[in-house]
Short mmCIF file of all heavy atoms in Angstrom, two decimals:
data_model
loop_
_atom_site.label_atom_id
_atom_site.label_comp_id
_atom_site.label_asym_id
_atom_site.label_seq_id
_atom_site.Cartn_x
_atom_site.Cartn_y
_atom_site.Cartn_z
N MET A 132 -118.54 117.67 59.70
CA MET A 132 -119.18 117.22 58.48
C MET A 132 -118.10 116.75 57.51
O MET A 132 -117.08 117.42 57.34
CB MET A 132 -119.98 118.38 57.87
CG MET A 132 -120.56 118.06 56.53
SD MET A 132 -121.59 119.37 55.83
CE MET A 132 -120.40 120.65 55.54
N ILE A 133 -118.32 115.63 56.89
CA ILE A 133 -117.37 115.10 55.91
C ILE A 133 -117.50 115.92 54.62
O ILE A 133 -118.60 116.04 54.06
CB ILE A 133 -117.64 113.61 55.61
CG1 ILE A 133 -117.47 112.76 56.88
CG2 ILE A 133 -116.74 113.11 54.47
CD1 ILE A 133 -116.07 112.76 57.45
N ILE A 134 -116.40 116.48 54.17
CA ILE A 134 -116.44 117.25 52.92
C ILE A 134 -115.70 116.54 51.79
O ILE A 134 -115.86 116.90 50.65
CB ILE A 134 -115.86 118.67 53.11
CG1 ILE A 134 -114.40 118.61 53.56
CG2 ILE A 134 -116.71 119.46 54.09
CD1 ILE A 134 -113.72 119.95 53.50
N CYS A 135 -114.89 115.57 52.14
CA CYS A 135 -114.20 114.77 51.13
C CYS A 135 -114.49 113.30 51.43
O CYS A 135 -113.90 112.72 52.35
CB CYS A 135 -112.70 115.03 51.15
SG CYS A 135 -111.76 113.99 50.02
N SER A 136 -115.39 112.74 50.65
CA SER A 136 -115.79 111.36 50.90
C SER A 136 -114.71 110.38 50.44
O SER A 136 -114.58 109.29 51.01
CB SER A 136 -117.12 111.04 50.23
OG SER A 136 -117.07 111.35 48.87
N CYS A 137 -113.92 110.74 49.46
CA CYS A 137 -112.86 109.85 48.99
C CYS A 137 -111.81 109.61 50.08
O CYS A 137 -111.33 108.50 50.26
CB CYS A 137 -112.18 110.42 47.75
SG CYS A 137 -113.26 110.53 46.32
N ASN A 138 -111.43 110.70 50.78
CA ASN A 138 -110.38 110.61 51.79
C ASN A 138 -110.93 110.70 53.21
O ASN A 138 -110.14 110.73 54.17
CB ASN A 138 -109.36 111.73 51.57
CG ASN A 138 -108.58 111.55 50.29
OD1 ASN A 138 -107.94 110.53 50.09
ND2 ASN A 138 -108.67 112.51 49.39
N VAL A 139 -112.24 110.77 53.32
CA VAL A 139 -112.93 110.89 54.61
C VAL A 139 -112.33 112.04 55.45
O VAL A 139 -111.83 111.87 56.56
CB VAL A 139 -112.92 109.57 55.41
CG1 VAL A 139 -113.91 109.66 56.57
CG2 VAL A 139 -113.24 108.39 54.53
N LEU A 140 -112.38 113.23 54.86
CA LEU A 140 -111.89 114.43 55.53
C LEU A 140 -113.07 115.28 55.96
O LEU A 140 -114.00 115.50 55.18
CB LEU A 140 -111.01 115.26 54.60
CG LEU A 140 -109.78 114.57 54.01
CD1 LEU A 140 -109.07 115.53 53.06
CD2 LEU A 140 -108.86 114.09 55.11
N SER A 141 -113.00 115.77 57.17
CA SER A 141 -114.07 116.65 57.66
C SER A 141 -113.67 118.11 57.45
O SER A 141 -112.49 118.42 57.23
CB SER A 141 -114.33 116.39 59.14
OG SER A 141 -113.25 116.86 59.91
N ASP A 142 -114.65 118.98 57.57
CA ASP A 142 -114.34 120.40 57.49
C ASP A 142 -113.41 120.81 58.62
O ASP A 142 -112.53 121.65 58.45
CB ASP A 142 -115.61 121.25 57.48
CG ASP A 142 -116.49 121.03 58.69
OD1 ASP A 142 -116.49 119.92 59.26
OD2 ASP A 142 -117.20 121.97 59.07
N GLU A 143 -113.53 120.18 59.77
CA GLU A 143 -112.65 120.49 60.90
C GLU A 143 -111.22 120.05 60.60
O GLU A 143 -110.27 120.75 60.97
CB GLU A 143 -113.15 119.82 62.19
CG GLU A 143 -114.40 120.47 62.74
CD GLU A 143 -114.19 121.94 63.09
OE1 GLU A 143 -113.14 122.28 63.66
OE2 GLU A 143 -115.07 122.75 62.74
N ASP A 144 -111.06 118.89 59.95
CA ASP A 144 -109.71 118.44 59.55
C ASP A 144 -109.06 119.50 58.68
O ASP A 144 -107.91 119.89 58.90
CB ASP A 144 -109.77 117.13 58.75
CG ASP A 144 -110.26 115.95 59.56
OD1 ASP A 144 -110.06 115.94 60.78
OD2 ASP A 144 -110.85 115.03 58.93
N VAL A 145 -109.80 119.95 57.69
CA VAL A 145 -109.26 120.90 56.73
C VAL A 145 -108.99 122.25 57.40
O VAL A 145 -107.93 122.84 57.22
CB VAL A 145 -110.21 121.05 55.52
CG1 VAL A 145 -109.77 122.17 54.61
CG2 VAL A 145 -110.30 119.73 54.76
N ARG A 146 -109.94 122.72 58.19
CA ARG A 146 -109.75 124.01 58.87
C ARG A 146 -108.52 123.98 59.80
O ARG A 146 -107.77 124.94 59.86
CB ARG A 146 -110.99 124.37 59.69
CG ARG A 146 -112.11 124.93 58.86
CD ARG A 146 -113.16 125.59 59.74
NE ARG A 146 -114.20 126.16 58.93
CZ ARG A 146 -115.37 125.58 58.70
NH1 ARG A 146 -115.65 124.44 59.27
NH2 ARG A 146 -116.27 126.15 57.92
N SER A 147 -108.34 122.88 60.50
CA SER A 147 -107.21 122.81 61.43
C SER A 147 -105.89 122.89 60.68
O SER A 147 -104.95 123.55 61.13
CB SER A 147 -107.29 121.56 62.30
OG SER A 147 -107.11 120.41 61.53
N VAL A 148 -105.79 122.25 59.53
CA VAL A 148 -104.56 122.31 58.74
C VAL A 148 -104.37 123.71 58.17
O VAL A 148 -103.26 124.26 58.21
CB VAL A 148 -104.60 121.26 57.61
CG1 VAL A 148 -103.53 121.52 56.58
CG2 VAL A 148 -104.45 119.88 58.19
N ILE A 149 -105.43 124.31 57.68
CA ILE A 149 -105.31 125.65 57.11
C ILE A 149 -104.84 126.64 58.17
O ILE A 149 -103.94 127.45 57.93
CB ILE A 149 -106.67 126.11 56.52
CG1 ILE A 149 -107.03 125.27 55.29
CG2 ILE A 149 -106.64 127.59 56.17
CD1 ILE A 149 -108.46 125.46 54.80
N GLU A 150 -105.40 126.55 59.35
CA GLU A 150 -105.06 127.51 60.40
C GLU A 150 -103.70 127.22 61.02
O GLU A 150 -102.92 128.13 61.27
CB GLU A 150 -106.16 127.51 61.47
CG GLU A 150 -107.45 128.11 60.93
CD GLU A 150 -108.62 127.92 61.86
OE1 GLU A 150 -108.42 127.48 63.01
OE2 GLU A 150 -109.75 128.19 61.42
N ALA A 151 -103.39 125.95 61.26
CA ALA A 151 -102.13 125.61 61.92
C ALA A 151 -100.93 125.71 60.99
O ALA A 151 -99.86 126.14 61.40
CB ALA A 151 -102.22 124.21 62.51
N GLU A 152 -101.11 125.31 59.76
CA GLU A 152 -99.98 125.22 58.84
C GLU A 152 -99.89 126.40 57.89
O GLU A 152 -98.93 126.51 57.13
CB GLU A 152 -100.10 123.92 58.01
CG GLU A 152 -100.35 122.69 58.83
CD GLU A 152 -99.07 121.99 59.23
OE1 GLU A 152 -98.03 122.25 58.61
OE2 GLU A 152 -99.11 121.21 60.17
N ARG A 153 -100.90 127.25 57.88
CA ARG A 153 -100.92 128.40 56.94
C ARG A 153 -100.70 127.92 55.51
O ARG A 153 -99.87 128.47 54.78
CB ARG A 153 -99.89 129.42 57.31
CG ARG A 153 -100.04 129.95 58.72
CD ARG A 153 -100.38 131.39 58.70
NE ARG A 153 -100.46 131.93 60.04
CZ ARG A 153 -101.57 132.43 60.56
NH1 ARG A 153 -102.66 132.48 59.85
NH2 ARG A 153 -101.59 132.90 61.77
N THR A 154 -101.41 126.88 55.15
CA THR A 154 -101.27 126.32 53.81
C THR A 154 -101.74 127.31 52.77
O THR A 154 -102.69 128.04 52.98
CB THR A 154 -102.07 125.01 53.67
OG1 THR A 154 -103.39 125.26 54.10
CG2 THR A 154 -101.46 123.90 54.46
N ARG A 155 -101.05 127.34 51.66
CA ARG A 155 -101.35 128.31 50.61
C ARG A 155 -101.94 127.66 49.36
O ARG A 155 -102.31 128.36 48.43
CB ARG A 155 -100.10 129.07 50.23
CG ARG A 155 -99.55 129.86 51.38
CD ARG A 155 -98.39 130.71 50.94
NE ARG A 155 -97.70 131.31 52.06
CZ ARG A 155 -98.09 132.40 52.68
NH1 ARG A 155 -99.16 133.02 52.29
NH2 ARG A 155 -97.41 132.88 53.69
N SER A 156 -101.96 126.35 49.32
CA SER A 156 -102.53 125.71 48.14
C SER A 156 -103.36 124.50 48.56
O SER A 156 -103.13 123.92 49.63
CB SER A 156 -101.43 125.28 47.17
OG SER A 156 -100.74 124.18 47.69
N ILE A 157 -104.26 124.14 47.69
CA ILE A 157 -105.12 123.00 47.97
C ILE A 157 -104.29 121.71 48.04
O ILE A 157 -104.52 120.87 48.89
CB ILE A 157 -106.24 122.91 46.92
CG1 ILE A 157 -107.19 124.09 47.11
CG2 ILE A 157 -106.99 121.59 47.03
CD1 ILE A 157 -108.23 124.22 46.04
N SER A 158 -103.30 121.60 47.18
CA SER A 158 -102.46 120.39 47.21
C SER A 158 -101.72 120.26 48.54
O SER A 158 -101.51 119.16 49.03
CB SER A 158 -101.50 120.36 46.03
OG SER A 158 -100.61 121.44 46.12
N GLN A 159 -101.35 121.41 49.14
CA GLN A 159 -100.70 121.36 50.46
C GLN A 159 -101.67 120.85 51.52
O GLN A 159 -101.26 120.14 52.43
CB GLN A 159 -100.20 122.74 50.86
CG GLN A 159 -98.94 123.17 50.15
CD GLN A 159 -98.49 124.55 50.62
OE1 GLN A 159 -99.30 125.42 50.86
NE2 GLN A 159 -97.19 124.72 50.73
N VAL A 160 -102.93 121.22 51.41
CA VAL A 160 -103.93 120.75 52.38
C VAL A 160 -104.01 119.23 52.33
O VAL A 160 -103.91 118.56 53.36
CB VAL A 160 -105.31 121.38 52.12
CG1 VAL A 160 -106.38 120.72 53.00
CG2 VAL A 160 -105.27 122.88 52.35
N TYR A 161 -104.15 118.69 51.13
CA TYR A 161 -104.20 117.23 51.00
C TYR A 161 -102.92 116.60 51.55
O TYR A 161 -102.94 115.61 52.26
CB TYR A 161 -104.38 116.80 49.55
CG TYR A 161 -105.72 117.08 48.97
CD1 TYR A 161 -105.91 118.07 48.02
CD2 TYR A 161 -106.83 116.33 49.35
CE1 TYR A 161 -107.15 118.32 47.46
CE2 TYR A 161 -108.08 116.56 48.80
CZ TYR A 161 -108.22 117.56 47.86
OH TYR A 161 -109.46 117.79 47.32
N GLY A 162 -101.79 117.18 51.17
CA GLY A 162 -100.51 116.63 51.60
C GLY A 162 -100.35 116.61 53.10
O GLY A 162 -99.89 115.63 53.69
N ARG A 163 -100.74 117.72 53.75
CA ARG A 163 -100.63 117.78 55.21
C ARG A 163 -101.55 116.79 55.89
O ARG A 163 -101.29 116.36 57.02
CB ARG A 163 -100.96 119.19 55.71
CG ARG A 163 -100.01 120.25 55.26
CD ARG A 163 -98.65 120.11 55.94
NE ARG A 163 -97.85 121.28 55.79
CZ ARG A 163 -96.94 121.48 54.84
NH1 ARG A 163 -96.72 120.54 53.95
NH2 ARG A 163 -96.24 122.59 54.78
N LEU A 164 -102.62 116.43 55.20
CA LEU A 164 -103.56 115.45 55.75
C LEU A 164 -103.21 114.03 55.30
O LEU A 164 -103.96 113.08 55.58
CB LEU A 164 -104.99 115.81 55.36
CG LEU A 164 -105.51 117.08 56.05
CD1 LEU A 164 -106.80 117.56 55.41
CD2 LEU A 164 -105.72 116.82 57.54
N GLY A 165 -102.10 113.88 54.60
CA GLY A 165 -101.60 112.55 54.24
C GLY A 165 -102.37 111.88 53.13
O GLY A 165 -102.44 110.65 53.08
N CYS A 166 -102.94 112.68 52.25
CA CYS A 166 -103.70 112.08 51.15
C CYS A 166 -103.53 112.92 49.90
O CYS A 166 -102.75 113.88 49.89
CB CYS A 166 -105.18 111.95 51.53
SG CYS A 166 -105.97 113.50 51.93
N SER A 167 -104.25 112.57 48.87
CA SER A 167 -104.21 113.34 47.63
C SER A 167 -105.61 113.38 47.05
O SER A 167 -106.44 112.51 47.36
CB SER A 167 -103.23 112.72 46.64
OG SER A 167 -103.60 111.39 46.37
N PRO A 168 -105.90 114.38 46.19
CA PRO A 168 -107.23 114.42 45.60
C PRO A 168 -107.48 113.22 44.69
O PRO A 168 -106.56 112.77 44.01
CB PRO A 168 -107.23 115.74 44.81
CG PRO A 168 -105.81 116.10 44.64
CD PRO A 168 -105.04 115.46 45.74
N LYS A 169 -108.70 112.77 44.72
CA LYS A 169 -109.06 111.64 43.85
C LYS A 169 -110.11 112.09 42.84
O LYS A 169 -109.78 112.37 41.70
CB LYS A 169 -109.53 110.47 44.70
CG LYS A 169 -108.38 109.93 45.55
CD LYS A 169 -108.75 108.71 46.33
CE LYS A 169 -107.50 108.18 47.00
NZ LYS A 169 -107.54 108.11 48.41
N CYS A 170 -111.36 112.21 43.24
CA CYS A 170 -112.39 112.62 42.28
C CYS A 170 -112.42 114.13 42.08
O CYS A 170 -112.87 114.62 41.06
CB CYS A 170 -113.76 112.12 42.70
SG CYS A 170 -114.49 113.04 44.07
N GLY A 171 -111.97 114.88 43.08
CA GLY A 171 -111.90 116.34 42.97
C GLY A 171 -113.17 117.09 43.34
O GLY A 171 -113.21 118.32 43.27
N ARG A 172 -114.22 116.40 43.73
CA ARG A 172 -115.48 117.08 44.06
C ARG A 172 -115.36 118.00 45.27
O ARG A 172 -116.14 118.92 45.42
CB ARG A 172 -116.60 116.06 44.31
CG ARG A 172 -117.15 115.47 43.03
CD ARG A 172 -118.27 114.53 43.32
NE ARG A 172 -117.73 113.44 44.17
CZ ARG A 172 -118.44 112.43 44.60
NH1 ARG A 172 -119.71 112.34 44.31
NH2 ARG A 172 -117.89 111.48 45.33
N CYS A 173 -114.40 117.75 46.12
CA CYS A 173 -114.26 118.54 47.35
C CYS A 173 -113.39 119.78 47.16
O CYS A 173 -113.29 120.61 48.07
CB CYS A 173 -113.65 117.67 48.44
SG CYS A 173 -112.07 116.96 47.97
N ILE A 174 -112.78 119.93 46.03
CA ILE A 174 -111.81 121.02 45.84
C ILE A 174 -112.46 122.39 46.02
O ILE A 174 -111.90 123.27 46.69
CB ILE A 174 -111.13 120.90 44.47
CG1 ILE A 174 -110.16 119.72 44.51
CG2 ILE A 174 -110.39 122.19 44.09
CD1 ILE A 174 -109.49 119.40 43.19
N ARG A 175 -113.65 122.59 45.51
CA ARG A 175 -114.31 123.89 45.66
C ARG A 175 -114.61 124.18 47.12
O ARG A 175 -114.49 125.31 47.57
CB ARG A 175 -115.60 123.93 44.83
CG ARG A 175 -115.31 123.91 43.34
CD ARG A 175 -116.54 123.81 42.52
NE ARG A 175 -117.26 125.09 42.55
CZ ARG A 175 -118.41 125.28 41.98
NH1 ARG A 175 -119.02 124.30 41.35
NH2 ARG A 175 -118.99 126.46 42.04
N THR A 176 -114.99 123.16 47.86
CA THR A 176 -115.28 123.37 49.29
C THR A 176 -114.00 123.70 50.05
O THR A 176 -113.99 124.60 50.89
CB THR A 176 -115.93 122.10 49.89
OG1 THR A 176 -117.10 121.80 49.14
CG2 THR A 176 -116.27 122.31 51.35
N ILE A 177 -112.92 123.01 49.73
CA ILE A 177 -111.64 123.31 50.39
C ILE A 177 -111.20 124.72 50.04
O ILE A 177 -110.73 125.47 50.89
CB ILE A 177 -110.58 122.26 50.02
CG1 ILE A 177 -110.96 120.91 50.63
CG2 ILE A 177 -109.19 122.69 50.49
CD1 ILE A 177 -110.08 119.75 50.22
N ARG A 178 -111.35 125.12 48.80
CA ARG A 178 -111.00 126.48 48.38
C ARG A 178 -111.82 127.49 49.18
O ARG A 178 -111.31 128.50 49.64
CB ARG A 178 -111.23 126.64 46.87
CG ARG A 178 -111.16 128.07 46.35
CD ARG A 178 -109.91 128.83 46.69
NE ARG A 178 -108.71 128.19 46.19
CZ ARG A 178 -107.48 128.48 46.64
NH1 ARG A 178 -107.31 129.38 47.59
NH2 ARG A 178 -106.44 127.86 46.17
N ARG A 179 -113.11 127.22 49.35
CA ARG A 179 -113.97 128.13 50.11
C ARG A 179 -113.51 128.24 51.56
O ARG A 179 -113.43 129.34 52.12
CB ARG A 179 -115.43 127.66 50.06
CG ARG A 179 -116.39 128.61 50.78
CD ARG A 179 -117.84 128.17 50.66
NE ARG A 179 -118.08 126.78 51.03
CZ ARG A 179 -118.19 126.35 52.28
NH1 ARG A 179 -118.09 127.19 53.28
NH2 ARG A 179 -118.42 125.08 52.54
N LEU A 180 -113.14 127.11 52.16
CA LEU A 180 -112.63 127.14 53.54
C LEU A 180 -111.34 127.94 53.63
O LEU A 180 -111.12 128.68 54.59
CB LEU A 180 -112.43 125.72 54.07
CG LEU A 180 -113.69 124.87 54.24
CD1 LEU A 180 -113.32 123.46 54.66
CD2 LEU A 180 -114.65 125.50 55.22
N MET A 181 -110.48 127.80 52.62
CA MET A 181 -109.23 128.57 52.60
C MET A 181 -109.54 130.07 52.46
O MET A 181 -108.93 130.89 53.15
CB MET A 181 -108.33 128.10 51.46
CG MET A 181 -107.80 126.70 51.68
SD MET A 181 -106.82 126.09 50.30
CE MET A 181 -105.31 127.02 50.55
N ASP A 182 -110.48 130.41 51.60
CA ASP A 182 -110.86 131.82 51.43
C ASP A 182 -111.44 132.39 52.72
O ASP A 182 -111.14 133.51 53.10
CB ASP A 182 -111.85 131.98 50.28
CG ASP A 182 -111.22 131.74 48.92
OD1 ASP A 182 -109.97 131.71 48.82
OD2 ASP A 182 -111.99 131.55 47.95
N GLU A 183 -112.28 131.62 53.38
CA GLU A 183 -112.87 132.07 54.65
C GLU A 183 -111.78 132.30 55.70
O GLU A 183 -111.81 133.28 56.43
CB GLU A 183 -113.87 131.04 55.18
CG GLU A 183 -115.16 131.00 54.40
CD GLU A 183 -116.07 129.86 54.84
OE1 GLU A 183 -115.74 129.13 55.80
OE2 GLU A 183 -117.14 129.71 54.21
N ALA A 184 -110.82 131.39 55.77
CA ALA A 184 -109.73 131.54 56.75
C ALA A 184 -108.90 132.77 56.43
O ALA A 184 -108.51 133.52 57.33
CB ALA A 184 -108.85 130.29 56.75
N LEU A 185 -108.65 133.01 55.15
CA LEU A 185 -107.87 134.18 54.75
C LEU A 185 -108.63 135.47 55.07
O LEU A 185 -108.06 136.43 55.58
CB LEU A 185 -107.56 134.11 53.25
CG LEU A 185 -106.70 135.23 52.70
CD1 LEU A 185 -105.34 135.24 53.38
CD2 LEU A 185 -106.55 135.07 51.19
N ASP A 186 -109.92 135.47 54.78
CA ASP A 186 -110.74 136.65 55.10
C ASP A 186 -110.72 136.92 56.59
O ASP A 186 -110.59 138.06 57.03
CB ASP A 186 -112.18 136.45 54.65
CG ASP A 186 -112.33 136.54 53.14
OD1 ASP A 186 -111.37 136.97 52.47
OD2 ASP A 186 -113.40 136.16 52.64
N GLY A 187 -110.84 135.85 57.40
CA GLY A 187 -110.83 136.01 58.85
C GLY A 187 -109.49 136.51 59.36
O GLY A 187 -109.42 137.39 60.22
N ALA A 188 -108.41 135.99 58.79
CA ALA A 188 -107.07 136.41 59.21
C ALA A 188 -106.83 137.86 58.83
O ALA A 188 -106.26 138.63 59.60
CB ALA A 188 -106.01 135.52 58.57
N CYS A 189 -107.30 138.26 57.68
CA CYS A 189 -107.12 139.64 57.23
C CYS A 189 -107.93 140.58 58.11
O CYS A 189 -107.43 141.63 58.53
CB CYS A 189 -107.55 139.79 55.78
SG CYS A 189 -107.28 141.44 55.14
N ALA A 190 -109.16 140.22 58.41
CA ALA A 190 -110.00 141.08 59.25
C ALA A 190 -109.36 141.26 60.62
O ALA A 190 -109.41 142.35 61.20
CB ALA A 190 -111.39 140.48 59.37
N THR A 191 -108.74 140.20 61.13
CA THR A 191 -108.11 140.28 62.45
C THR A 191 -106.84 141.11 62.41
O THR A 191 -106.63 141.99 63.24
CB THR A 191 -107.77 138.85 62.94
OG1 THR A 191 -108.98 138.11 63.02
CG2 THR A 191 -107.10 138.90 64.31
N SER A 192 -105.99 140.86 61.42
CA SER A 192 -104.69 141.54 61.39
C SER A 192 -104.77 142.96 60.82
O SER A 192 -103.98 143.81 61.18
CB SER A 192 -103.69 140.72 60.59
OG SER A 192 -104.08 140.64 59.25
N CYS A 193 -105.73 143.22 59.95
CA CYS A 193 -105.82 144.54 59.33
C CYS A 193 -106.61 145.53 60.17
O CYS A 193 -106.52 146.73 59.94
CB CYS A 193 -106.45 144.43 57.95
SG CYS A 193 -105.49 143.48 56.79
N ASN A 194 -107.40 145.03 61.08
CA ASN A 194 -108.20 145.88 61.94
C ASN A 194 -109.00 146.91 61.14
O ASN A 194 -109.01 148.10 61.43
CB ASN A 194 -107.31 146.59 62.97
CG ASN A 194 -108.13 147.15 64.10
OD1 ASN A 194 -109.24 146.70 64.35
ND2 ASN A 194 -107.59 148.15 64.78
N GLY A 195 -109.65 146.41 60.10
CA GLY A 195 -110.54 147.27 59.33
C GLY A 195 -109.84 148.13 58.29
O GLY A 195 -110.41 149.11 57.82
N CYS A 196 -108.61 147.79 57.90
CA CYS A 196 -107.90 148.64 56.95
C CYS A 196 -108.60 148.70 55.60
O CYS A 196 -108.52 149.70 54.90
CB CYS A 196 -106.46 148.17 56.76
SG CYS A 196 -106.31 146.55 56.01
N VAL A 197 -109.32 147.63 55.24
CA VAL A 197 -110.02 147.63 53.97
C VAL A 197 -111.06 148.74 53.96
O VAL A 197 -111.21 149.46 52.98
CB VAL A 197 -110.68 146.26 53.71
CG1 VAL A 197 -111.55 146.30 52.47
CG2 VAL A 197 -109.61 145.20 53.57
N GLN A 198 -111.74 148.94 55.06
CA GLN A 198 -112.75 150.00 55.13
C GLN A 198 -112.10 151.37 54.99
O GLN A 198 -112.63 152.24 54.33
CB GLN A 198 -113.51 149.91 56.45
CG GLN A 198 -114.39 148.70 56.52
CD GLN A 198 -115.09 148.58 57.86
OE1 GLN A 198 -114.69 149.23 58.83
NE2 GLN A 198 -116.12 147.76 57.91
N SER A 199 -110.93 151.55 55.60
CA SER A 199 -110.29 152.86 55.50
C SER A 199 -109.76 153.12 54.10
O SER A 199 -109.73 154.25 53.64
CB SER A 199 -109.17 152.99 56.54
OG SER A 199 -108.15 152.07 56.28
N ILE A 200 -109.36 152.05 53.39
CA ILE A 200 -108.87 152.21 52.02
C ILE A 200 -110.02 152.58 51.10
O ILE A 200 -109.89 153.42 50.22
CB ILE A 200 -108.18 150.91 51.53
CG1 ILE A 200 -106.87 150.72 52.29
CG2 ILE A 200 -107.93 150.94 50.03
CD1 ILE A 200 -106.22 149.37 52.05
N GLN A 201 -111.19 151.94 51.35
CA GLN A 201 -112.33 152.17 50.48
C GLN A 201 -112.97 153.54 50.69
O GLN A 201 -113.63 154.04 49.83
CB GLN A 201 -113.37 151.07 50.70
CG GLN A 201 -112.88 149.72 50.22
CD GLN A 201 -113.85 148.60 50.54
OE1 GLN A 201 -114.71 148.74 51.41
NE2 GLN A 201 -113.71 147.49 49.84
N SER A 202 -112.79 154.13 51.84
CA SER A 202 -113.46 155.41 52.09
C SER A 202 -112.55 156.60 51.81
O SER A 202 -111.47 156.52 51.39
CB SER A 202 -113.96 155.48 53.52
OG SER A 202 -112.90 155.28 54.42
S1 FES B 518 -114.45 113.99 47.49
FE1 FES B 518 -112.42 114.71 47.86
S2 FES B 518 -111.25 113.75 46.34
FE2 FES B 518 -113.23 112.92 46.07
#
């Protein structure tokens, strides 16, 4: 699905950069994809994809440590 119509970026494009490059900022995502933000409407979606990737990475590497901390 296209999430950035200005740069014609799909969610898969963004996810692949986030996962492969371990990008830490939205500007890095655009940079790795060879573009820059224009209208900015996609920034919230890219942020959400980054948060989802971080949550997934934490769940995998922490093996439930958040649950043990909370209890
Ligand atoms: S939709 Fe991504 S910069 Fe416009």
Side-chain angles (χ1 to χ4, degrees):
M132 174 177 67
I133 298 297
I134 61 169
C135 175
S136 54
C137 295
N138 293 302
V139 193
L140 302 177
S141 70
D142 57 331
E143 288 300 317
D144 294 331
V145 172
R146 281 194 178 99
S147 67
V148 166
I149 292 169
E150 291 170 10
E152 310 269 341
R153 303 245 183 242
T154 51
R155 298 186 189 278
S156 72
I157 292 173
S158 63
Q159 284 181 322
V160 171
Y161 289 109
R163 296 289 195 266
L164 291 168
C166 59
S167 58
K169 294 184 174 121
C170 75
R172 282 182 300 181
C173 57
I174 288 175
R175 292 174 73 184
T176 303
I177 293 174
R178 169 54 59 198
R179 182 176 52 79
L180 294 176
M181 292 176 75
D182 289 346
E183 288 174 3
L185 183 62
D186 287 348
C189 183
T191 300
S192 65
C193 296
N194 196 23
C196 65
V197 173
Q198 291 177 344
S199 64
I200 291 171
Q201 292 175 341
S202 56

